[in-house]
Amino acid sequence: MNKKNFRLIGILIAVLLLGSLLLGYCSLLSTDDTQNTDITEDTYMTTKAFNTTIKVTEDNSYIITEDISVVFDTSRHGIYRYIPQKGFISEVNDSGKLTQIPYYAKFKDVTSSHELYDESENGNRVFRFGEEDVTVKGAQEYTFSYHVIPVDRK
């Protein structure tokens, strides 16, 4: 594997870790009609487990499976999962200079154990799990997978 491939793998892992950390602070689908676009902690749920499996394929793309276990203290419609699909990663090059490396990712073959709505928002791929007219309470498991293809340019 060459240096460029290692860099791409490192960038993807950094993006996935950042996205995973944001899950704990993501807004859940609320039971009211207001739409909150800010990322905030929802004190009415607890993330019990967050497991991610990443398979690197021959073409340096990634097949990712996520298993998320949550407990809702009050009735909710489901969860949002924000995954960065474009942005910049900082890297120190061989001369010690800090450089910004753009990254872009295409998503395909998205599957889920729950009803899933898929959209893009502010450089993120947003997966919304749950249904508008159905609420859930207590322990819930969300399993989904997707194929990420890093691209050199938009």
Side-chain angles (χ1 to χ4, degrees):
M1 203 179 284
N2 65 30
K3 187 174 181 178
K4 182 178 179 183
N5 291 342
F6 278 120
R7 179 186 300 177
L8 287 174
I9 290 170
I11 289 171
L12 180 67
I13 290 171
V15 167
L16 288 172
L17 287 174
L18 176 62
S20 297
L21 291 173
L22 288 175
L23 178 68
Y25 297 99
C26 287
S27 298
L28 296 178
L29 298 172
S30 63
T31 55
D32 62 19
D33 292 333
T34 62
Q35 194 68 289
N36 183 0
T37 58
D38 295 332
I39 296 176
T40 58
E41 179 181 10
D42 188 329
T43 58
Y44 300 106
M45 61 84 65
T46 303
T47 301
K48 292 294 188 178
F50 189 108
N51 297 305
T52 303
T53 303
I54 303 171
K55 177 184 175 190
V56 180
T57 63
E58 291 290 324
D59 65 354
N60 293 316
S61 63
Y62 315 94
I63 299 172
I64 299 165
T65 301
E66 297 189 24
D67 296 302
I68 304 169
S69 299
V70 299
V71 176
F72 296 111
D73 297 329
T74 62
S75 294
R76 295 293 202 219
H77 294 278
I79 63 172
Y80 287 112
R81 177 70 174 97
Y82 289 76
I83 303 171
Q85 67 182 19
K86 68 179 182 177
F88 292 91
I89 298 290
S90 297
E91 176 184 73
V92 178
N93 63 20
D94 293 337
S95 65
K97 182 179 176 187
L98 185 65
T99 59
Q100 296 285 315
I101 302 168
Y103 71 86
Y104 302 97
K106 289 178 20 180
F107 289 69
K108 69 177 194 173
D109 302 329
V110 178
T111 62
S112 172
S113 63
H114 283 70
E115 185 76 27
L116 172 71
Y117 299 90
D118 181 1
E119 55 193 36
S120 292
E121 175 186 306
N122 298 324
N124 295 295
R125 191 63 173 262
V126 181
F127 298 121
R128 183 170 50 110
F129 300 92
E131 298 181 51
E132 212 173 298
D133 57 348
V134 176
T135 59
V136 294
K137 188 175 177 181
Q140 299 293 314
E141 302 283 330
Y142 297 92
T143 299
F144 64 107
S145 64
Y146 49 97
H147 191 164
V148 176
I149 303 159
V151 293
D152 291 331
R153 59 191 156 149
K154 191 173 180 182

